[in-house]
Amino acid sequence: MKVMRKNFALAGLALGLILLAQDAAARLSYEAHSLKDGSKFIMVSGQFEADDDLALFRNEVLSSHAFSVSFFSGGGNVYKAMEFGRLIRSLGLQTVAARGSECASACSLSFLGGVTRYAEPGAIGVHKSSFSDTSGMNVEDAVAAVQQQTADVISYMNEMGVDPSLLQLALKYDSNDIRYLSSSEMTRFRVTTVSFQEVHESEVESSSGKAQAPIADGRITSKTLSKKPPLLQVPVPRNGIVQDDSGSALLKAGRDIRSKTIAAFANGSELQIFKSTGDWYRVLIGKKNRLYAPNVGMGA
């Protein structure tokens, strides 16, 4: 999800994921892919297992310079999925889920790790855990294990900025059933940070804006073109790429480092820049909001 004219290329990326979906029940695998604009994303396929080596994923991200992660997974080990989500967050990556390549069960926990999250309706599936690790335990130990895992999942959701009430919904569905989330539910539980409607309404506005753009008066255009710019004029940037030593840049609601953080963008993410004011850029995100990002750490 990149802040740019195509709304982070989310819709196009989600469409392409359907064609890349592999075996959701196989061992976890990672494969880098490119969008038409050359930006990279990682497709994560298969089942989460307790012994998965996540260093392989980290290496794939660093070598490919990917900005986003997508999934085709039916779930697996809950703790490994949460570990994977924390790794995604630490790398400053975005997560995208397409309906044609599901992310269900424990996979939904990994999806929550994205600093920016977008999913099509029906792409994220939840249910209660099977707790297969409790087999062979006595009743007291099994109950304690279930309670501990539930507490750990709630803690993880809070850490990722997601409403823990999502777990209440998931617990209504047995492990042999699945509940796919609607767009409004994903917005309400903060599963996504950019809604399906927001992306597509913005695309419609952008298209209609181009169609209705007025034709400039020829004399005005001629006068504007003939006006000479002052010497040594520094051009106002219109777009940029995040380049920060920390690996990502924070997007703020106002021109104050203490103002609310809206999102974080990994190095390589493109930004539409509307205005440079002092140490800040004014950039566009979503449908209407113009928010602020420090211009230090940005590259043209």
Side-chain angles (χ1 to χ4, degrees):
M1 291 179 292
K2 302 165 75 177
V3 185
M4 59 184 196
R5 192 172 294 113
K6 296 182 180 178
N7 292 293
F8 318 139
L10 292 177
L13 174 55
L15 179 62
L17 298 180
I18 299 173
L19 304 177
L20 298 175
Q22 300 174 15
D23 188 351
R27 290 286 304 205
L28 213 60
S29 63
Y30 324 108
E31 188 173 355
H33 297 273
S34 298
L35 296 176
K36 290 181 179 180
D37 65 358
S39 54
K40 303 290 183 64
F41 70 95
I42 304 293
M43 169 63 83
V44 178
S45 303
Q47 200 86 351
F48 290 92
E49 302 289 351
D51 60 349
D52 285 329
D53 182 4
L54 301 189
L56 299 176
F57 171 75
R58 176 190 289 273
N59 293 339
E60 188 68 36
V61 170
L62 296 178
S63 62
S64 66
H65 303 289
F67 73 92
S68 182
V69 184
S70 300
F71 301 90
F72 186 59
S73 172
N77 184 276
V78 168
Y79 284 98
K80 184 57 66 171
M82 292 191 292
E83 181 185 348
F84 195 90
R86 289 189 173 101
L87 178 56
I88 288 174
R89 181 65 59 92
S90 71
L91 293 171
L93 300 171
Q94 305 158 7
T95 50
V96 179
R99 188 171 184 175
S101 55
E102 72 168 354
C103 179
S105 189
C107 177
S108 63
L109 296 173
S110 289
F111 175 85
L112 301 180
V115 293
T116 305
R117 304 180 294 275
Y118 168 80
E120 293 183 335
I124 302 293
V126 298
H127 60 191
K128 67 172 64 174
S129 299
S130 62
F131 298 106
S132 58
D133 292 340
T134 61
S135 58
M137 292 185 181
N138 59 48
V139 174
E140 184 177 346
D141 289 343
V143 169
V146 170
Q147 291 176 338
Q148 183 60 56
Q149 179 170 302
T150 301
D152 290 339
V153 170
I154 291 175
S155 177
Y156 173 78
M157 287 181 173
N158 281 320
E159 180 185 343
M160 296 297 117
V162 176
D163 187 347
S165 298
L166 173 64
L167 186 59
Q168 294 180 335
L169 174 63
L171 292 175
K172 294 179 180 179
Y173 296 85
D174 292 334
S175 57
N176 60 354
D177 197 0
I178 198 78
R179 171 66 150 75
Y180 290 98
L181 302 178
S182 67
S183 179
S184 60
E185 286 172 330
M186 288 189 283
T187 299
R188 184 168 79 249
F189 293 122
R190 301 193 296 277
V191 171
T192 53
T193 60
V194 181
S195 72
F196 180 79
Q197 290 90 342
E198 190 175 8
V199 169
H200 288 271
E201 285 175 9
S202 182
E203 286 182 341
V204 171
E205 286 184 3
S206 177
S207 298
S208 62
K210 288 181 180 180
Q212 298 172 4
I215 299 174
D217 186 291
R219 291 170 295 175
I220 297 175
T221 301
S222 176
K223 182 178 179 180
T224 302
L225 292 175
S226 63
K227 184 178 180 180
K228 295 182 179 180
L231 294 176
L232 302 178
Q233 181 186 36
V234 178
V236 177
R238 293 304 175 192
N239 54 65
I241 297 175
V242 175
Q243 295 176 343
D244 194 272
D245 292 339
S246 67
S248 62
L250 299 180
L251 193 71
K252 294 286 187 176
R255 289 178 293 165
D256 188 332
I257 197 66
R258 295 167 297 181
S259 62
K260 181 181 178 181
T261 297
I262 305 299
F265 293 91
N267 283 351
S269 299
E270 294 181 5
L271 302 171
Q272 267 192 284
I273 302 170
F274 288 83
K275 186 178 181 181
S276 178
T277 306
D279 293 331
W280 296 84
Y281 280 140
R282 198 177 188 193
V283 300
L284 179 68
I285 180 173
K287 183 171 58 175
K288 298 179 180 177
N289 300 321
R290 290 190 177 184
L291 304 167
Y292 297 88
N295 64 23
V296 291
M298 301 288 177

